[in-house]
Amino acid sequence: MKAFLFTCMLVPWLMAATARGFNQNSQLISGSLPGNELDTYFSDNFISSKARRALPPADEPDDSPIPEEADSLDLPTCLLCVCLTGSVYCEEVSPDMTAVPKLPKETAYLYARFNKIKKINTKDFSEIVTLKRIDLTGNQISEIEDGAFSKLAALEELSLAENRLVKLPMLPAKLTVFNANNNLLKTKGVKANAFKKMTKLVNLFLADNQLEAVPIIPETVRILHLQNNNITLVNKDTFCKSNDTYYLRLSLSEVRMDGNPVMLSKYPDSFTCMKVLPVGRYR
């Protein structure tokens, strides 16, 4: 009888302590802890996440491991990934992550790098209007449905680098950074005016693709990477304005065109409006 009474008193105390611990952890945000404590938190979180996957439910003991062919979509996102307030980190997830996971509705930052995501569907981000940054670097994405990013009015940074894209979808107008390095993009897969209306774009990275021409670059762009493509020519309207001899493009401070067939010295009048010459072949 004494043991029973002790157990009855201990269980509520443990539940209350657990609840207090959860509430404190759920309010952690990036920058809220000193560097060494934040590193410890990330380490502990990854370890505890793996431990939770390894342990069977308390009321149904089962020592069998998760099958290798198990789909990551069968598991809760915050069990597979590290979820902080507003941020979700899903990098090199095991079992393989082949699609965008279902995200908490308050997610502002998604890092899903180095997985095996193959396609981005319209529904993947349709309800997550708070997203400001999406990083999908190093996946196997070959298709993105038009409209996949159309509802993301707050999105500022998007990385699709190191994938298998042959064309770009419609992009949010308020992007400041866009990275599509190391894909399979050709000029026919990038509309000439794909970036024209992106009036806040600052950094544009399209290196290591198969582009044959330079797309229209917004006035706001400061850094432009087009190296290692198949660009064969530029003209007076590529960066400047042929009908305005007084036009200056002062914002463009870095242009890389090295690794392209184009001989830039053949087009001296194409760079007269710029304060720096593009990096590339001149002889």
Side-chain angles (χ1 to χ4, degrees), residues 31-99:
S32 64
L33 294 175
N36 57 344
E37 293 184 24
L38 185 59
D39 290 341
T40 302
Y41 173 75
F42 270 108
S43 176
D44 291 346
N45 218 305
F46 276 116
I47 292 170
S48 64
S49 178
K50 292 179 179 178
R52 288 197 300 272
R53 290 202 299 272
L55 290 174
D59 56 343
E60 296 180 7
D62 184 359
D63 294 329
S64 60
I66 296 176
E68 290 185 3
E69 66 274 10
D71 193 335
S72 65
L73 297 179
D74 294 335
L75 298 172
T77 298
C78 292
L79 183 63
L80 289 165
C81 310
V82 175
C83 296
L84 303 178
T85 301
S87 299
V88 177
Y89 300 84
C90 303
E91 302 195 354
E92 297 183 282
V93 171
S94 179
D96 292 343
M97 178 176 286
T98 58

Side-chain angles (χ1 to χ4, degrees), residues 20-192:
R20 286 196 300 273
F22 177 79
N23 289 335
Q24 290 171 357
N25 288 339
S26 66
Q27 294 173 2
L28 287 172
I29 59 175
S30 181
S32 64
L33 294 175
N36 57 344
E37 293 184 24
L38 185 59
D39 290 341
T40 302
Y41 173 75
F42 270 108
S43 176
D44 291 346
N45 218 305
F46 276 116
I47 292 170
S48 64
S49 178
K50 292 179 179 178
R52 288 197 300 272
R53 290 202 299 272
L55 290 174
D59 56 343
E60 296 180 7
D62 184 359
D63 294 329
S64 60
I66 296 176
E68 290 185 3
E69 66 274 10
D71 193 335
S72 65
L73 297 179
D74 294 335
L75 298 172
T77 298
C78 292
L79 183 63
L80 289 165
C81 310
V82 175
C83 296
L84 303 178
T85 301
S87 299
V88 177
Y89 300 84
C90 303
E91 302 195 354
E92 297 183 282
V93 171
S94 179
D96 292 343
M97 178 176 286
T98 58
V100 175
K102 187 174 182 179
L103 301 172
K105 288 192 176 182
E106 72 278 6
T107 302
Y109 303 96
L110 170 63
Y111 303 89
R113 298 179 291 194
F114 310 114
N115 291 294
K116 295 184 179 179
I117 299 172
K118 302 180 186 300
K119 181 179 179 180
I120 307 297
N121 298 299
T122 304
K123 64 180 182 179
D124 288 337
F125 302 116
S126 60
E127 297 181 1
I128 318 297
V129 296
T130 52
L131 278 165
K132 294 182 179 180
R133 181 185 300 155
I134 298 175
D135 191 342
L136 296 168
T137 299
N139 279 277
Q140 300 175 5
I141 301 169
S142 59
E143 181 182 355
I144 301 177
E145 291 184 355
D146 265 329
F149 306 115
S150 61
K151 295 184 179 180
L152 304 182
L155 192 66
E156 298 175 354
E157 300 180 24
L158 175 61
S159 179
L160 301 170
E162 299 176 38
N163 279 284
R164 301 174 181 176
L165 291 171
V166 295
K167 71 173 185 177
L168 293 181
M170 185 181 300
L171 298 170
K174 293 184 179 180
L175 281 182
T176 61
V177 179
F178 178 64
N179 188 345
N181 285 347
N182 287 283
N183 275 277
L184 303 172
L185 295 170
K186 294 185 177 182
T187 295
K188 65 180 181 180
V190 181
K191 296 178 181 178

Side-chain angles (χ1 to χ4, degrees), residues 231-248:
I231 299 171
T232 56
L233 61 86
V234 293
N235 58 49
K236 293 181 180 180
D237 291 307
T238 301
F239 300 108
C240 303
K241 295 181 179 180
S242 59
N243 60 352
D244 186 354
T245 56
Y246 297 98
Y247 172 73
L248 294 175

